[in-house]
Amino acid sequence: MELVGDRRGQSIQIGAVLLFGVLIIAFSSYQAFVVPDQNREVEFNHNQEVQSDMQDLRNAIVSVPGSTSSRAVSVSLATRYPSRLVARNPGPPSGSVRTNGTTDMRYNITVRNAAAAGETGDVWNGTARPYNTGTIAYSPNYNVYSNPPTTYYGHSVAYNQFPTANLTLSEQTMVNGRDITLVALNGSLRRSSGGSTTVDVRPVSRSNDPIIVSNDASTSNVSVSVPTRLPESKWKELLADEIDSNPGDLSNDRYVADVTATDGPGPYYNLTITFERGADYRLRMAKAGVGDGVSSEEAAYLTDVGGDGSVAKGDSADLVLEVRDEYNNPVQGVTVHGGVDPGSDGSLTDSEKVSGSDGRVTFEYTTTQSASTGIQNINFSYRGLGDGFSASEPENVTMDVRVTANGGGGGSVNGFSSTSVSNLEADSSGLNQTVSFSPADQSIGAGETVYINFDDAQQSTVNYENYEIADLPAGVSVEDSNVDTGTGTFTVTLSADNPIATADTVSFTVVGVDTGSQAGPLDVDFVREDTGDSETASFNVGGGGGGKAGDSVVSTGSKTYDGDKGFQFTIENRNSRSVTITNISVSVGDSSVASLFEQNGGEYDPYQHEVWIDSSSGSDGVVEMSGEPYYDEDSTEMPLDTVQELNENAVVNSGNLATVYMYQFYKNNKAKSVAGKDVTVELGFQDGSTGTYEFTSVDST
């Protein structure tokens, strides 16, 4: 029988269609809203990760001055979305890392009005010195995360640049008190992918040793200009702790006089940091290479680092020179030629030497018993010695050595009796030193002369214009005064109107005029013009001899570093002589910190030793708990509240600064912050005295 109009299965079919429609709508909503939201989170998290990678890259570049080998940094250029059974992901995102400006001389670091003393002044004479550099940028290409930042590294700072704002990710390390550290970027890097890439940071030119510069004229200021995408206001924030709110006041340990920015090439500003006049700055420069086309550095100048002084007839002296590139760093494998000037006496054991890994060569200068006394000139050059030799050229050096008839003072020597020196206390006008001599075997005839030479044997910063000759006896006058700070000799010629008999004593006073921090130890040579006979005595000037180191070495400021895990403070030696630091004790007023511990290894660097003392003069000091200053893997902690001997003692010359770095604070196998904690450091000095320095570490870097 036929059933007409039977509808019993229609409701099931309609329900199935409706259910399928609901599933389609739900899936469409999931695909349209949930998947993009999840992928946006993935992209955002990746961007946070790559910002951390860029900070690691920044750390590798700023550590180039103290590095001896390359550092590899992994940068995650892009990410991947999670796998999905039904829903579809868009194509994988990508990213790129690239250098900008490193092959265009319009982008450069320029140092202006910076002058150095001695042979280094042949190059650093106040003229503008440009160095090509650039930035490194990471740019993402995400599918969902809109308007992500471009992350840059430039001039020690990592930062994010958004369309309408800039966000810094690190502090700056270009300026720290009187320390100026400049790292130029070289090479061409451009990599794009959907994965990760490794960026090798190579130290092309590096050294821990700075040069000392100051303004080249009383009306000029040392300044540094750099190209940057950050505006002036952001750099003033970064340099807030260095800017002097009272320009001209050098007592507040802030030496930046002004920060200005003008329009530069392309999207860059030309930022200029101007420093205070009248201060010495420690300029440390380096060149970091990334990517392809990294250029090497050749010799740029030759300078003397040791050997100017006196040598007795028949003796020898080592003359040390250093070959440097334009970044003031040592160059290895350069042949240096040496020879005694045709008008001088003596000889060199070798006529050629090749610079070592420290850029240095050592020549031995020898004399005979028949050698002439007085100043002898020895010439050096890595271009070769010839008729056109000029000591003022950067590749040439003339070193002066005074040949004396004997090795020192005391007793009756070649026509002079004993030389007496009285060390007197400083008064309001400076330190007065009384010097006397008398002929022994023969008189000094009328019109004959005796040269009194004040040789700076230990401290090259003595300013001889700060001294005068006074209280001369009747019949003796100052005939000539010659100041030669390049050779470290202050010469006064005494001409006798009447003969000086063997029984006569000639006394005079050396008056220190506002010696300040220029005081130090001096040698006094007496040389007869007629015979060349001489005798030497020594004395100190300034502060009555200086006193205990612990009383005259003061702190000039402190701060934390590397995420508050390290602590540093600066000391100034206000003693009239150099001081030597032999031990250190560190205390923290918080039980959450127990020791100092590092395991990075390597050469001198704040991140590579439990304690590193960076001396602007003299020599650096180090505590390396492995027992070796350059150990690679450290497994021993330095306990707090105990006296620890230095592996290498630090020497800080009179009037100079040193920075004491402690890294990193530790307890229970974890690095600890010392931000806001009380830190007490006791330094032990070679003379047995100690200096105690107390801080509350609130200035975080």
Side-chain angles (χ1 to χ4, degrees):
M1 180 178 68
E2 183 177 351
L3 298 176
V4 180
D6 190 349
R7 296 182 175 85
R8 286 175 293 177
Q10 290 182 357
S11 60
I12 296 175
Q13 294 171 354
I14 293 172
V17 171
L18 291 175
L19 178 60
F20 181 74
V22 170
L23 291 175
I24 292 297
I25 294 172
F27 175 76
S28 299
S29 299
Y30 180 80
Q31 180 70 53
F33 300 104
V34 177
V35 171
D37 284 345
Q38 291 178 344
N39 288 346
R40 184 181 294 108
E41 182 179 6
V42 169
E43 292 174 349
F44 178 81
N45 290 338
H46 169 262
N47 193 256
Q48 299 300 303
E49 176 186 349
V50 79
Q51 290 178 35
S52 178
D53 293 342
M54 290 295 288
Q55 291 182 69
D56 291 340
L57 182 58
R58 172 260 183 195
N59 293 341
I61 295 172
V62 299
S63 65
V64 162
S67 300
T68 57
S69 58
S70 299
R71 290 181 61 179
V73 179
S74 177
V75 179
S76 175
L77 298 182
T79 187
R80 292 191 177 275
Y81 304 122
S83 300
R84 304 181 190 278
L85 292 175
V86 180
R88 292 177 56 86
N89 286 319
S94 62
S96 66
V97 61
R98 66 190 185 280
T99 51
N100 291 321
T102 52
T103 59
D104 187 341
M105 200 57 201
R106 293 181 304 163
Y107 301 85
N108 61 74
I109 300 170
T110 301
V111 183
R112 295 181 175 87
N113 303 321
E119 290 291 340
T120 306
D122 289 346
V123 175
W124 288 91
N125 54 13
T127 58
R129 297 189 59 80
Y131 301 83
N132 176 232
T133 189
T135 60
I136 297 180
Y138 168 78
S139 299
N141 184 17
Y142 295 129
N143 292 307
V144 189
Y145 178 22
S146 59
N147 296 322
T150 299
T151 304
Y152 287 91
Y153 162 79
H155 307 296
S156 78
V157 180
Y159 58 94
N160 285 330
Q161 190 162 69
F162 294 90
T164 59
N166 298 284
L167 177 64
T168 57
L169 304 175
S170 70
E171 296 292 334
Q172 63 83 31
T173 61
M174 280 201 302
V175 181
N176 181 15
R178 298 188 189 185
D179 291 307
I180 304 172
T181 304
L182 306 174
V183 181
L185 200 61
N186 183 242
S188 180
L189 176 70
R190 181 174 292 273
R191 296 176 188 169
S192 301
S193 74
S196 297
T197 189
T198 298
V199 179
D200 294 319
V201 179
R202 306 190 291 281
V204 180
S205 175
R206 46 78 54 195
S207 174
N208 274 313
D209 298 326
I211 63 169
I212 306 300
V213 298
S214 59
N215 45 294
D216 62 323
S218 60
T219 56
S220 68
N221 297 67
V222 175
S223 70
V224 174
S225 298
V226 297
T228 177
R229 297 180 70 100
L230 289 176
E232 177 182 311
S233 59
K234 186 61 67 173
W235 275 104
K236 285 185 175 180
E237 292 178 14
L238 290 165
L239 292 164
D241 293 338
E242 310 297 338
I243 298 175
D244 190 356
S245 58
N246 185 22
D249 180 10
L250 299 181
S251 65
N252 57 13
D253 299 314
R254 296 188 176 195
Y255 299 97
V256 173
D258 198 10
V259 177
T260 57
T262 58
D263 291 338
Y268 287 77
Y269 298 100
N270 185 36
L271 177 81
T272 299
I273 303 172
T274 304
F275 296 88
E276 298 276 23
R277 300 172 187 170
D280 290 335
Y281 296 96
R282 296 181 293 182
L283 176 62
R284 183 181 288 107
M285 304 188 69
K287 179 179 177 180
V290 294
D292 301 322
V294 177
S295 61
S296 60
E297 286 300 315
E298 305 296 331
Y301 68 96
L302 183 67
T303 190
D304 57 335
V305 294
D308 284 323
S310 300
V311 60
K313 289 183 178 183
D315 288 344
S316 62
D318 286 340
L319 308 181
V320 186
L321 301 99
E322 185 173 308
V323 183
R324 296 176 180 171
D325 60 24
E326 66 174 347
Y327 292 86
N328 310 302
N329 297 323
V331 181
Q332 185 177 6
V334 177
T335 300
V336 179
H337 309 270
V340 176
D341 190 87
S344 294
D345 207 345
S347 63
L348 294 178
T349 304
D350 299 287
S351 60
E352 293 182 357
K353 285 292 188 72
V354 178
S355 60
S357 59
D358 58 358
R360 296 189 177 186
V361 292
T362 300
F363 288 85
E364 184 180 21
Y365 171 72
T366 62
T367 65
T368 64
Q369 290 295 340
S370 60
S372 301
T373 58
I375 295 293
Q376 310 299 327
N377 300 319
I378 302 92
N379 300 329
F380 301 94
S381 176
Y382 60 77
R383 299 291 188 197
L385 303 174
D387 294 337
F389 179 88
S390 172
S392 62
E393 296 297 326
E395 64 269 20
N396 300 334
V397 167
T398 295
M399 297 183 71
D400 300 329
V401 178
R402 179 177 296 280
V403 176
T404 62
N406 60 83
S412 177
V413 182
N414 296 318
F416 290 102
S417 64
S418 298
T419 302
S420 62
V421 178
S422 301
N423 293 306
L424 305 179
E425 293 294 331
D427 57 25
S428 59
S429 63
L431 177 64
N432 301 337
Q433 298 285 355
T434 300
V435 181
S436 63
F437 70 93
S438 59
D441 299 330
Q442 53 186 311
S443 64
I444 300 176
E448 294 178 355
T449 58
V450 176
Y451 297 96
I452 316 297
N453 305 308
F454 297 86
D455 294 328
D456 177 19
Q458 301 179 38
Q459 185 174 327
S460 61
T461 58
V462 169
N463 183 354
Y464 295 90
E465 294 175 338
N466 286 343
Y467 300 97
E468 296 176 351
I469 299 299
D471 302 330
L472 287 168
V476 179
S477 61
V478 176
E479 182 180 84
D480 180 43
S481 179
N482 176 35
V483 176
D484 187 351
T485 56
T487 61
T489 301
F490 177 38
T491 302
V492 175
T493 303
L494 304 181
S495 180
D497 296 329
N498 298 302
I500 302 175
T502 57
D504 294 337
T505 297
V506 177
S507 298
F508 58 90
T509 302
V510 182
V511 180
V513 182
D514 190 22
T515 58
S517 63
Q518 301 293 336
L522 296 176
D523 286 344
V524 184
D525 296 330
F526 298 81
V527 184
R528 290 188 62 155
E529 183 183 51
D530 56 341
T531 64
D533 297 334
S534 66
E535 182 174 313
T536 302
S538 301
F539 62 88
N540 287 291
V541 293
K548 291 292 185 180
D551 297 329
S552 55
V553 177
V554 301
S555 170
T556 62
S558 68
K559 59 177 68 175
T560 59
Y561 65 99
D562 191 27
D564 301 322
K565 299 188 294 293
F567 184 76
Q568 70 182 74
F569 69 99
T570 305
I571 55 175
E572 180 179 1
N573 177 16
R574 297 180 180 174
N575 203 295
S576 64
R577 59 188 67 176
S578 63
V579 299
T580 300
I581 304 171
T582 59
N583 60 70
I584 185 172
S585 173
V586 183
S587 300
V588 178
D590 192 312
S591 60
S592 65
V593 182
S595 65
L596 283 166
F597 175 62
E598 66 77 34
Q599 53 185 347
N600 293 327
E603 291 196 31
Y604 291 137
D605 187 275
Y607 299 89
Q608 294 171 325
H609 302 285
E610 281 79 12
V611 177
W612 172 42
I613 303 177
D614 184 7
S615 176
S616 64
S617 63
S619 58
D620 298 333
V622 63
V623 171
E624 176 54 66
M625 292 305 295
S626 65
E628 297 292 338
Y630 300 100
Y631 198 67
D632 291 329
E633 294 182 1
D634 192 316
S635 59
T636 305
E637 299 183 25
M638 173 182 160
L640 302 186
D641 304 310
T642 60
V643 176
Q644 182 66 45
E645 299 295 325
L646 270 61
N647 299 84
E648 292 183 358
N649 293 341
V651 178
V652 186
N653 287 343
S654 174
N656 284 270
L657 302 172
T659 302
V660 182
Y661 296 90
M662 290 155 279
Y663 184 79
Q664 56 183 318
F665 285 89
Y666 233 69
K667 186 173 183 179
N668 296 331
N669 297 320
K670 292 184 179 180
K672 298 293 184 179
S673 167
V674 291
K677 295 179 171 52
D678 294 331
V679 178
T680 301
V681 180
E682 183 177 274
L683 297 179
F685 299 94
Q686 194 171 50
D687 63 2
S689 64
T690 59
T692 301
Y693 311 92
E694 298 179 345
F695 312 93
T696 298
S697 55
V698 297
D699 183 11
S700 174
T701 61

